[in-house]
Amino acid sequence: MKTLKHIIAIALVGLSASACDDYLDVENYNGIPADDLINSVENAQTAVNGVYNGMYGEWLYFYGYYYYTCFATGELDFRASLEDVKPMVNFAYFDGSSAVYCIWKNLYTIISRANDVSTKIEKLIASGSVTEAESQELEKMVGECSFLRAWAYFYLTRSYGDKLPSHPNYDPQGLGVPIIDREIAGREQLMKGRNTLDECWKEILSNFSDAYDRLPASWPSVKLGAATKGAAAAYLGQMYMYLEEYGKAGEWFAKALACGNQTGSEYALTEDYAWNFDFNHENNSESIFEIQFQTVSDDTQRASYLWRRLGPDGVGGGFGICNVNMDWVNKFSSGYELTQDVYDKYASLAPSSASNIVQAEVTKAYASAIGVNVPSVSDFFNLFTGDWDALADDINEILKTYKFRLNVKTEPGWGTSDSKYIQTLLSEIRAADPRMYDSFYVPGRDVISTNWAGTNLQPYPNSYYGFKKYIPYNAIENWAAEGLPGYEGDNSINQRIFRLADLYLQYAEALYKTSDKVNAAKYLNKVRRRAYKLPFDDASMLTPQSVDYPSANDSGDFMDAIVKEREKELCLESHLWFDYLRWNMAADLFGSRGFDPAVHHRLPIPLTERQIVGMDVLQQNSGY
């Protein structure tokens, strides 16, 4: 919360948001606030803030969760060789992988904190030492702990549980994850095996239901960003989607919409898709639940590290170790056509730089392609049928006449569609879903700053497409407002991890599955219309638009439309991996990259945890 500060009191130092050192460090289990610490509403709030703080774990939303999910789907390619990240590429992880261990640890950190804090708040309520009004506030805080506990168990169960309920071989008595007692009196309570999948799903539903009962529909401004009744209802809807109980899912989604948003107003899609990823529109009308980040000049408050670990190279300190996979870029494309205007723009570039000269000559090589419409990148690239080495020799001669020493043949990707000169043309001539430009940094199109101060603007310098969501290279004025430069790489933009568009698309799927095909199409098309800046209020939905998908009434491929729309709406937001698992599509989509359907539909149980608890007690998933 930008206003609900995540400052952990000195008495809660054991709850610090370190990467992987909390949950089962049983020899030094000091992550519990002292019994007498929570003795007022004020310090109870401080303790609850510490539970939220757990979401900043290194392998949660600090940055690492995007590696796990976006490498699995192929949304991102890895351009480096960091040892902690490499195993997440192409399903190479194993029980000793640090990422596998850290995701587990980060999530159980949240659970242990929620258990400890809610138990002590309940004792305070029962003590009779607080007023009725204070008791009501404390009950809401217990609801927050229930919400966060459910959230963490949900993430654990779908990542480490043996199978999702939609899996053809799902067994409710199969292995889930350990459900930990609410109050820990001794280390033996932590030495337990895995509960069944059925028990895990019931625990999640119970906790989200408790949160729904206790939480308010909205909070005062000092708690903007805290979990709400609407968020609990939305997650309950999502739980029933996983359980394939689509009628119940639809009922909970409807309840979520009736609850309203953070301010107590009706949930509404934002006017502009990009507002969901910037600094200026945090906690907006579309936000159901978001991680609240801050950039400050010390370590008492957490920022995310997306800027460095996922941002492109050469801009504002980004490491450039990831790029958007071109197959994903192409999902947004609907064809390519070199127009006369684009041709003239680049063919007439002044020879003021070597890059201009090369770009002009490459463009001229495509003169015969003007006005030709082709469906794919490779089709456009192949419209030049000449010899690329011969073209390079000709361009090198031109460069020499202007006293430039560049050898075009040594340019990255020369003679392929990956060349930055080809990519510059493609970025201009693509007919694409507009969301692409708010999701990816596009070669030849975007203008960014190359320094922290935001004073040095230049064209996006890379030939690859870059991760753009929550990466604030275009928010120069916000850097100054946040006091940058501070700790290098800090990024204060909140991450909206559940938003209304996601709910609408799940709701559309639930409605379709329960034969309400008219409303299924309506909610799908609301999301699509917003992307194209067309009216999407209920009255406007009565008038068809060209971008609408056909009515679900007679459309046998409506689920294909749902899949494609979620891919474009939610790419790079860490949702799609679990969509593909829930839809049983992963084997077909990712088998060529090493996905084994008997193994990789879940992560292994971390070896370190099994060694602590007992190898025969905390059983491993098969195949690892």
Side-chain angles (χ1 to χ4, degrees), residues 338 343 347 358-369 380-381 383-388 391 395 414 422 425:
L338 180 61
Y343 178 85
V358 180
Q359 186 66 65
E361 295 306 313
V362 169
T363 303
K364 291 174 185 176
Y366 280 88
S368 62
F380 174 77
F381 177 74
L383 288 175
F384 173 64
T385 57
D387 182 276
W388 283 98
L391 178 61
I395 294 174
W414 177 257
I422 298 296
L425 290 177

Side-chain angles (χ1 to χ4, degrees), residues 70-71 74-80 89 321-326:
C70 295
F71 289 157
E75 292 164 81
L76 290 177
D77 292 328
F78 194 46
R79 304 173 61 83
V89 179
I321 60 180
C322 294
N323 63 271
V324 178
N325 183 288
M326 285 305 299

Side-chain angles (χ1 to χ4, degrees), residues 525 529 534-548:
N525 285 326
R529 287 193 190 190
L534 294 169
F536 50 81
D537 59 280
D538 284 350
S540 298
M541 298 305 295
L542 299 175
T543 304
Q545 296 282 352
S546 61
V547 302
D548 288 350

Side-chain angles (χ1 to χ4, degrees), residues 24 95-96 101 105 605-614 618:
L24 278 182
D95 63 353
Y101 171 71
K105 285 290 199 179
I605 305 301
L607 175 62
T608 304
E609 297 300 293
R610 300 185 67 220
Q611 290 172 330
I612 293 172
V613 175
L618 189 59

